[in-house]
Amino acid sequence: MTQHSGAQSDVFVPTGKLQFGVFFQGVNSGTIWKAAESGSQTDFESFRRIVQTAERGLFAAFFLGEGLRLREHLGRPHALDVVGRPDAQTMLAALASVTTNIGLVATQNTTYNDPADLAHRLSSLDLISRGRAAWNIVTTDNAWTGANFRRGGYLDHADRYRHAEAFVETAKRIWDSWETAEGPAGRVLHEGQHYTVDVTPRLPRSAQYRPVLFQAGDSPEGRDFAARQADVIFSAHPKFDAAVEFRKDLVARSLNAGRGANAVQIMPASEFILAPTADEAAAKKEWVRSLQIGPQQAVAYLEQFWGRELSAYDPDGPLPEIDPVVEETSETRGSGFHGAKARQLADQWRAEAKDKGLSIRQFVTSRTARVDATFTGSYSAVADQLAEYARVGAVDGFNISPWLIPSGLDDIVNHLVPELQERGVYPTEYRGSTLRENLALATPVRSVEAARAL
Amino acid sequence: MSTTEEHATEAGHTGFLAIELDGAGWDGGDFASLAEAVLAVESAGFHAATFTDAPVAGRTNALQRAAYAGPVTRSIALVPEVDTVHTEPFHVSTQLASLDYVSGGRAGWIATAAESPEAAAAVGRSDVTGAALAQEAAASIEVSRRLWDSWEDDAVIRDVATGRYIDVDKLHHADFETPADFAGAGYSVKGPSIIPRPLQGQLPVLAAASLVGEGQVSADGVDAVLVTAPTPELLAAEIRDVRSRLGAPVAVVAELDVVLDSRGLAAADRAAGSESGRARYAGTAAGLADLLESLLVEADGVRLHPASLALELDELSRLVLPELRRRGALRAPVPGGTFRDLLGLTRPASRYTDSSAATAAGN
Ligand SMILES: Cc1cc2nc3c(=O)[nH]c(=O)nc-3n(C[C@H](O)[C@H](O)[C@H](O)COP(=O)(O)O)c2cc1C
């Protein structure tokens, strides 16, 4: 099997290539639902169209996210954004039957799953898809999500990566134990702080040995965890300088973990707004943003930080003069906005908006996270930009979130991919039929515990 | 959950046929692939395919096999077994709702609750036995049903004027809690679901008849039961017993092992082997057609467990199903139909629909 030349080396070697994944978010404010072209977010046909377009564009992987409780806004389900999506592995198993090469990546949480059950379902997906499954490991752990599960909110935030590590190690041992020194299907035992697992694995290896491991999480603990366990990081740093910085950081962590400098690949989340010319792309971007951040979305964004209703405020007027409600972090409000900081933040934002003469809507548009993750321009200019990422090895590829379902990849596949191929930085065919082959990942070494007779 | 309407069998004695796709696992069994197997079963004229979830080496997750079959088939109902005891009810509910989406409304659920020390050890729980099994099943089914209803049908409104994608008044907390006398570790599930209401509103839920009744899973919790008897002769009587015990709204599906004379091999020679506890028919295709015709007078459907999917399917599709169709014993397929349509069930409104206006201010 092919392997990066630097995988075992302690010097990072750029591959000079990029790969694409598509992140069908399902739940978010980035996906436009107001446009006439916008289709269903849950119909199977939307998923089929996106995944088949991606496969036509030789994408390495199709990603599905996961959220195990509906997001809320001021104590009620979030009404403004796309919300509600199918279970990742069920959808990917269905998509396996209408695709042949593309990898199928399920985001699955380590806190609200059981390792034996999740390992079995992931290797089922891997066998059903003939070696195309991957697990995007996430560690969401709040008690609010836990209210949907038998274990509840049992895990301290500080423990979640320790827990995740034991979880992933157990899953790897389950996958590795089909064939042991003593023959097939050795028993896997794990006695941990949170649970005990005693299982005899039931499934053989897939065509790619075992599911590929992705990780999404950005804290130092998260990065170290990825450096030890993952094949690919789904990162949040697509801007060039930040990407180069992240690569350096990750190479250091991989070496620290005793793995080669190229052992872990990086695919940041990104958004592309493309057109034949720069002007057209800029106009398109304005249209996209106006539909992503309408008047209500702009006010709702501030409400999350203010912790109170602001519907009386004019989205085209200045930021509210009233102060945020200061309270303890409320998990239900999203990503944890700390009350104490809210007043400072409000002051800072009011000053900034006033300085730049921005309305609520303009200010929110300038702030939303996606601004940092967006490539806007003509096909050829963006292709040049991406070729530079490939040349220095800033990233191994991009995980693209389409802002339109189901046609959001069409221009990328029809126009950007050929430009990248011309520049020699994008594949012209699938290397193989498994995800591991297509990502040029080495076959994993069997975990030590599994080889030990139990 | 069943509606009170009568099942079609009472009128015209037409029923449906399901087939257990056991053996068409990760390696496709006798077929080149699972897709090929399920397509063969669909074109043979079966109304439903079921997928076992027993812990057998080499067998992939049943629900995922059913999901894989979704996009490659058009009319056949896809019904996996999913355990209720050692699984997370919230996950099970979401997975089944998703199966309904990927199959265009053709999903069902055989809710199982088998005693399994292995399954318990795998998730670090103590073994569940006796009456506690039915309690676990009842709780898991109730969780799923509440979560499926937790989005009213018209919750996604995509209202450009107000910027609202959903109407939050049409989303509801499932607020499930295990009953006070629950034998296992009690739990609660909050909701709402993370996926909109399944296409069928509620997926048909099937369970072994032995799991359903007074003090077990209530008859209201299931739409159909699987009825087992030791011999074909006893099967019809058992069906009548179950029907009178559970009442008309629950559809009855008879379980039958099938070994046929095939490719020059006598069924009697092939029939030797493991005992399943189910009634077994071994013999000619013509004899099977007679037996099925008589069973379909009593039952709403029969599920066949072929000894070899490839061998029996040959005979079934060439001889048995055409004969049953000729005799008018099989229900006509409903073009674009759902599994509920097949069972003669209407699409229920969400349990929260009526209350939504009243509780819009509070809930
Ligand atoms: C690009 C990216 C995508 C993510 N997608 C998901 C997701 O789909 N579901 C989820 O529960 N968490 C997701 N996360 C959250 C992470 O799993 C993690 O909980 C979060 O980043 C906090 O971990 P950290 O403190 O290590 O960053 C994502 C994170 C990143 C960076």
Side-chain angles (χ1 to χ4, degrees):
Chain A
M1 204 170 286
T2 8
Q3 192 172 313
H4 281 312
S5 53
Q8 296 309 319
S9 130
D10 54 7
V11 181
F12 173 74
V13 183
T15 62
K17 299 276 188 206
L18 295 175
Q19 64 219 5
F20 282 164
V22 54
F23 186 34
F24 189 120
Q25 290 204 2
V27 166
N28 62 67
S29 57
T31 307
I32 292 171
W33 56 263
K34 293 176 193 167
E37 308 91 301
S38 166
S40 166
Q41 304 292 324
T42 40
D43 277 1
F44 182 73
E45 288 312 312
S46 295
F47 292 83
R48 183 207 298 265
R49 166 124 182 235
I50 288 275
V51 76
Q52 290 182 339
T53 305
E55 192 162 76
R56 182 162 61 80
L58 305 173
F59 278 43
F62 176 86
F63 280 69
L64 289 174
E66 183 194 60
L68 297 171
R69 185 148 176 201
L70 287 191
R71 295 175 313 154
E72 289 188 2
H73 178 68
L74 302 181
R76 307 197 73 191
H78 203 305
L80 301 178
D81 298 341
V82 168
V83 55
R85 59 184 161 197
D87 170 69
Q89 292 206 61
T90 308
M91 177 55 73
L92 294 175
L95 292 175
S97 73
V98 297
T99 53
T100 48
N101 290 94
I102 195 164
L104 304 165
V105 191
T107 299
Q108 303 272 274
N109 179 296
T110 49
T111 306
Y112 301 111
N113 279 293
D114 285 301
D117 175 58
L118 187 66
H120 186 253
R121 282 190 285 130
L122 283 164
S123 59
S124 291
L125 181 64
D126 208 14
L127 289 162
I128 285 169
S129 66
R130 300 182 198 271
R132 295 189 281 138
W135 172 18
N136 180 35
I137 305 162
V138 295
T139 55
T140 311
D141 69 329
N142 58 66
W144 179 69
T145 299
N148 282 332
F149 296 94
R150 290 184 199 243
R151 282 203 183 89
Y154 73 103
L155 193 63
D156 274 356
H157 185 75
D159 282 344
R160 71 209 170 102
Y161 276 112
R162 223 149 25 97
H163 174 84
E165 191 115 15
F167 191 116
V168 173
E169 280 296 334
T170 304
K172 283 181 171 174
R173 287 171 54 203
I174 290 171
W175 294 327
D176 287 349
S177 292
W178 177 256
E179 288 160 33
T180 66
E182 269 121 58
R187 199 166 144 218
V188 172
L189 295 167
H190 166 80
E191 277 182 57
Q193 193 187 342
H194 301 294
Y195 48 62
T196 299
V197 178
D198 177 353
V199 63
T200 301
R202 307 206 298 267
L203 293 177
R205 293 171 189 181
S206 77
Q208 64 170 353
Y209 187 99
R210 70 180 183 212
V212 170
L213 298 183
F214 287 70
Q215 182 267 6
D218 202 32
S219 60
E221 299 81 17
R223 293 182 187 196
D224 277 334
F225 166 72
R228 284 192 295 271
Q229 298 289 355
D231 300 301
V232 187
I233 291 196
F234 181 9
S235 86
H237 307 285
K239 280 276 176 263
F240 190 81
D241 293 344
V244 170
E245 218 21 69
F246 186 83
R247 167 73 78 188
K248 273 197 199 132
D249 182 63
L250 196 69
V251 166
R253 290 178 198 271
S254 304
L255 293 174
N256 236 347
R259 298 174 76 194
N262 279 60
V264 186
Q265 301 186 6
I266 302 172
M267 288 179 80
S270 63
E271 177 194 56
F272 287 84
I273 302 176
L274 308 172
T277 66
D279 285 350
E280 287 165 277
K284 196 165 173 182
K285 181 171 177 175
E286 208 145 298
W287 177 78
V288 170
R289 291 286 181 255
S290 73
L291 290 174
Q292 285 172 329
I293 304 154
Q296 299 91 352
Q297 276 84 2
V299 172
Y301 181 81
L302 293 191
E303 284 176 340
Q304 291 185 292
F305 292 86
W306 259 254
R308 66 200 297 171
E309 226 208 291
L310 300 172
S311 58
Y313 287 83
D314 176 6
D316 295 317
L319 266 58
E321 280 306 329
I322 56 166
D323 277 327
V325 177
V326 175
E327 57 171 339
E328 293 303 301
T329 302
S330 162
E331 302 281 11
T332 65
R333 277 167 56 194
S335 331
F337 305 123
H338 298 275
K341 277 200 208 139
R343 262 190 209 138
Q344 260 177 305
L345 200 70
D347 286 340
Q348 222 175 297
W349 285 5
R350 277 192 285 250
E352 188 188 330
K354 202 166 173 196
D355 248 26
K356 296 181 180 165
L358 300 177
S359 67
I360 288 178
R361 197 164 167 185
Q362 289 164 327
F363 178 77
V364 171
T365 303
S366 76
R367 278 210 63 80
T368 31
R370 299 203 129 215
V371 171
D372 287 338
T374 303
F375 293 88
T376 311
S378 70
Y379 301 117
S380 68
V382 171
D384 286 341
Q385 203 184 344
L386 297 189
E388 183 61 10
Y389 279 77
R391 193 185 64 79
V392 304
V395 301
D396 294 282
F398 294 92
N399 212 0
I400 302 168
S401 302
W403 38 262
L404 202 57
I405 299 296
S407 61
L409 291 181
D410 293 3
D411 57 351
I412 292 168
V413 166
N414 294 340
H415 302 291
L416 181 64
V417 162
E419 296 259 7
L420 293 170
Q421 287 168 329
E422 271 172 38
R423 287 162 180 73
V425 298
Y426 193 86
T428 51
E429 60 183 358
Y430 279 109
R431 234 185 286 245
S433 64
T434 71
L435 177 58
R436 203 174 287 285
E437 283 169 325
N438 288 322
L439 294 175
L441 291 165
T443 303
V445 178
R446 195 190 287 178
S447 61
V448 178
E449 288 97 324
R452 211 165 55 204
L454 282 163
Chain B
M1 240 336 106
S2 317
T3 62
T4 47
E5 73 193 64
E6 300 289 292
H7 285 276
T9 38
E10 322 260 326
H13 297 317
T14 63
F16 65 87
L17 286 179
I19 187 163
E20 169 51 45
L21 272 185
D22 200 2
W26 60 275
D27 64 350
D30 295 323
F31 287 85
S33 68
L34 174 58
E36 190 189 63
V38 73
L39 274 172
V41 159
E42 182 173 64
S43 60
F46 280 93
H47 300 83
T50 66
F51 302 82
T52 355
D53 200 32
V56 169
R59 189 174 294 151
T60 50
N61 178 275
L63 191 138
Q64 290 182 28
R65 296 207 306 281
Y68 181 88
V72 296
T73 50
R74 285 287 160 267
S75 62
I76 197 165
L78 301 168
V79 192
E81 283 182 2
V82 181
D83 169 48
T84 54
V85 182
H86 301 107
T87 45
E88 280 287 348
F90 189 86
H91 287 319
V92 166
S93 157
T94 314
Q95 289 160 8
L96 287 163
S98 303
L99 178 63
D100 206 39
Y101 276 92
V102 303
S103 65
R106 291 181 282 124
W109 175 19
I110 299 175
T112 58
E115 188 178 337
S116 171
E118 297 81 22
V123 297
R125 286 173 59 194
S126 41
D127 197 14
V128 180
T129 57
L133 288 165
Q135 264 195 333
E136 292 274 1
S140 183
I141 292 168
E142 178 64 15
V143 169
S144 271
R145 292 209 181 275
R146 289 195 194 193
L147 288 169
W148 293 337
D149 277 348
S150 68
W151 290 56
E152 292 181 38
D153 287 320
D154 48 359
V156 175
I157 51 171
R158 301 170 76 119
D159 185 42
V160 175
T162 60
R164 291 181 308 150
Y165 180 78
I166 51 167
D167 178 350
V168 294
D169 292 335
K170 296 187 170 175
L171 296 190
H172 306 271
H173 287 136
D175 278 334
F176 173 84
E177 285 207 34
T178 45
D181 66 347
F182 200 64
Y187 62 89
S188 53
V189 172
K190 189 77 184 164
S193 181
I194 49 173
I195 175 173
R197 197 155 188 253
L199 300 178
Q200 297 179 90
Q202 289 277 325
L203 274 67
V205 179
L206 289 69
S210 58
L211 198 63
V212 179
E214 191 75 32
Q216 304 193 81
V217 176
S218 93
D220 290 347
V222 297
D223 300 287
V225 289
L226 298 162
V227 174
T228 305
T231 66
E233 293 71 34
L234 293 171
L235 201 46
E238 184 65 22
I239 294 163
R240 278 193 293 272
D241 273 5
V242 167
R243 217 191 266 290
S244 67
R245 183 164 69 83
L246 300 180
V250 179
V252 170
V253 183
E255 298 268 49
L256 187 67
D257 283 359
V258 171
V259 197
L260 294 175
D261 300 337
S262 173
R263 298 184 195 170
L265 293 169
D269 296 338
R270 298 178 52 227
S274 63
E275 278 302 314
S276 67
R278 285 182 293 263
R280 171 181 286 174
Y281 172 86
T284 63
L288 178 62
D290 291 342
L291 174 61
L292 288 175
E293 186 183 17
S294 69
L295 284 174
L296 287 171
V297 172
E298 304 289 346
D300 300 273
V302 178
R303 175 164 75 149
L304 303 182
H305 298 257
S308 151
L309 188 60
L311 292 186
E312 266 69 39
L313 191 57
D314 260 5
E315 303 298 309
L316 289 165
S317 63
R318 259 184 338 107
L319 302 171
V320 181
L321 273 76
E323 176 60 19
L324 287 170
R325 277 192 293 268
R326 204 186 54 74
R327 297 185 196 175
L330 290 186
R331 189 158 308 179
V334 182
T338 66
F339 188 26
R340 291 191 75 85
D341 292 337
L342 176 65
L343 291 170
L345 300 169
T346 53
R347 189 179 187 286
S350 160
R351 73 190 64 197
Y352 300 106
T353 300
D354 291 335
S355 62
S356 67
T359 58
N363 200 27

